[in-house]
Amino acid sequence: MADNFVSINSTKANFDEIYVKEDPRAYFSVLGALDYMIPDVAAPVVRQIIAAYARRYGRRPVVLDVGSSYGINAAVHRFPVTFASLRRRYARHEMAGLEAAEVARLDRNYYASWPDRGLASFVGLDASEPAIRYAKDVGLIKDGIVADLEEAPLGAEAEDIMRDVDIVLSTGAVGYVTDKTFRSILAAASRPLWVVSFVLRMFPYQTLQDLFARRGLVTEHLESALFAQRRFSDVAEFEHCLAQLAGRGLDSNGFESRGLLQAGLYLSRPTADRQHARLEDIV
């Protein structure tokens, strides 16, 4: 599976540099220029799934955001902000010349000024230490794990954090991470998890579904909707994506062919939870 993902990623745009800055200004500038929208598109769906979990188990869940970067999913879930509104904030000329520490101080006050309307608390998981540090410093995540689970196992401290997790969220990380990452997450969990994955259609998901099934989790795919992630960065990425989709027997006409990467939604959870409420009824 890892080799397959490497091949698919071969002409996909690489944004590694924007994830290792001390603050998220470059992240919003670069991705914003490509109309990155998956955090905003996914937010109402994630909110509905989190609410369904809270009804089922009677508690406010802890969400592990895989590939959390600067805590954007936590921000749009907990506060009345969007990726688009945050992009405008960081694009103001007053923000351009500030030191990273000053940006963090302003952001800490900015988020503290809003009421927390979130239905969950968030833990971030990312290979970028600066991104995790920022998200925790400004109060978006309650804890963070800096790890590349494709390359190394979880440390003892990270395993302790992981034991409190109820829901695993991914809004585009699948493809960068494989079943290796999710095996580590499942092994560290202390309770049955709900796994919410927004997966770009060019990436196969069957290996992950099989992994979850072996751990007693049944996977549902929301057939009624796709979720736009961003515009293609260039013609090469566009053509490569369409070729990958054709190779998988998927029709891109009216979807990726219009210039936007599209993701499908998958929810994996215990069989009894699915019987209690189907994904189509939740969303």
Side-chain angles (χ1 to χ4, degrees):
M1 184 177 184
D3 291 342
N4 191 16
F5 281 6
V6 169
S7 174
I8 296 172
N9 273 315
S10 61
T11 60
K12 190 168 177 282
N14 187 305
F15 300 107
D16 288 351
E17 290 187 0
I18 67 175
Y19 292 100
V20 295
K21 305 294 186 183
E22 295 298 318
D23 64 70
R25 284 175 291 184
Y27 172 93
F28 280 96
S29 175
V30 172
L31 291 181
L34 293 174
D35 296 327
Y36 186 67
M37 63 189 76
I38 191 66
D40 294 345
V41 172
V45 174
V46 172
R47 183 171 294 275
Q48 292 171 43
I49 293 174
I50 289 173
Y53 183 97
R55 289 193 299 270
R56 173 69 168 150
Y57 287 97
R59 64 173 180 269
R60 186 172 186 257
V62 175
V63 176
L64 177 72
D65 187 4
V66 179
S68 58
S69 70
Y70 295 92
I72 310 307
N73 281 327
V76 300
H77 177 77
R78 295 179 55 203
F79 305 110
V81 299
T82 63
F83 183 93
S85 69
L86 291 171
R87 180 196 177 194
R88 291 192 296 271
R89 169 177 168 79
Y90 292 110
R92 293 178 62 88
H93 68 87
E94 294 93 343
M95 298 287 280
L98 297 178
E99 296 292 330
E102 181 66 4
V103 173
R105 185 187 68 83
L106 292 172
D107 284 354
R108 191 160 48 249
N109 292 332
Y110 176 74
Y111 289 118
S113 71
W114 294 107
D116 187 344
R117 66 178 186 177
L119 304 174
S121 58
F122 280 71
V123 170
L125 169 63
D126 203 281
S128 170
E129 191 275 335
I132 289 291
R133 184 176 66 246
Y134 165 87
K136 190 172 180 181
D137 187 28
V138 302
L140 291 176
I141 58 176
K142 75 167 191 172
D143 224 327
I145 299 170
V146 179
D148 181 352
L149 299 183
E150 297 296 301
E151 301 295 334
L154 283 168
E157 183 178 349
E159 286 187 339
D160 287 341
I161 295 171
M162 203 76 78
R163 289 189 184 97
D164 292 331
V165 168
D166 301 295
I167 298 174
V168 178
L169 171 65
S170 163
T171 55
V174 172
Y176 296 109
V177 304
T178 70
D179 54 317
K180 290 181 181 178
T181 290
F182 285 92
R183 280 202 302 269
S184 293
I185 292 170
L186 290 169
S190 64
R191 56 180 67 100
L193 298 173
W194 285 24
V195 183
V196 183
S197 297
F198 291 83
V199 184
L200 292 178
R201 293 208 303 158
M202 70 178 78
F203 292 108
Y205 198 64
Q206 189 60 52
T207 300
L208 284 168
Q209 292 186 64
D210 294 343
L211 169 65
F212 300 145
R214 291 194 295 271
R215 299 302 180 96
L217 307 180
V218 63
T219 298
E220 297 169 88
H221 175 218
L222 187 69
E223 301 285 351
S224 58
L226 292 175
F227 301 84
Q229 189 201 52
R230 60 166 171 84
R231 288 190 292 108
F232 291 98
S233 62
D234 54 30
V235 173
E237 185 182 45
F238 172 72
E239 292 178 343
H240 178 71
C241 176
L242 265 58
Q244 290 291 333
L245 292 170
R248 297 192 60 216
L250 298 174
D251 183 9
S252 62
N253 187 41
F255 300 108
E256 289 86 356
S257 67
R258 299 177 66 183
L260 291 170
L261 286 158
Q262 302 284 340
L265 170 64
Y266 298 84
L267 173 61
S268 305
R269 54 195 170 141
T271 303
D273 292 345
R274 183 195 180 280
Q275 292 171 345
H276 188 262
R278 298 179 309 152
L279 177 59
E280 291 280 356
D281 296 327
I282 293 170
V283 175

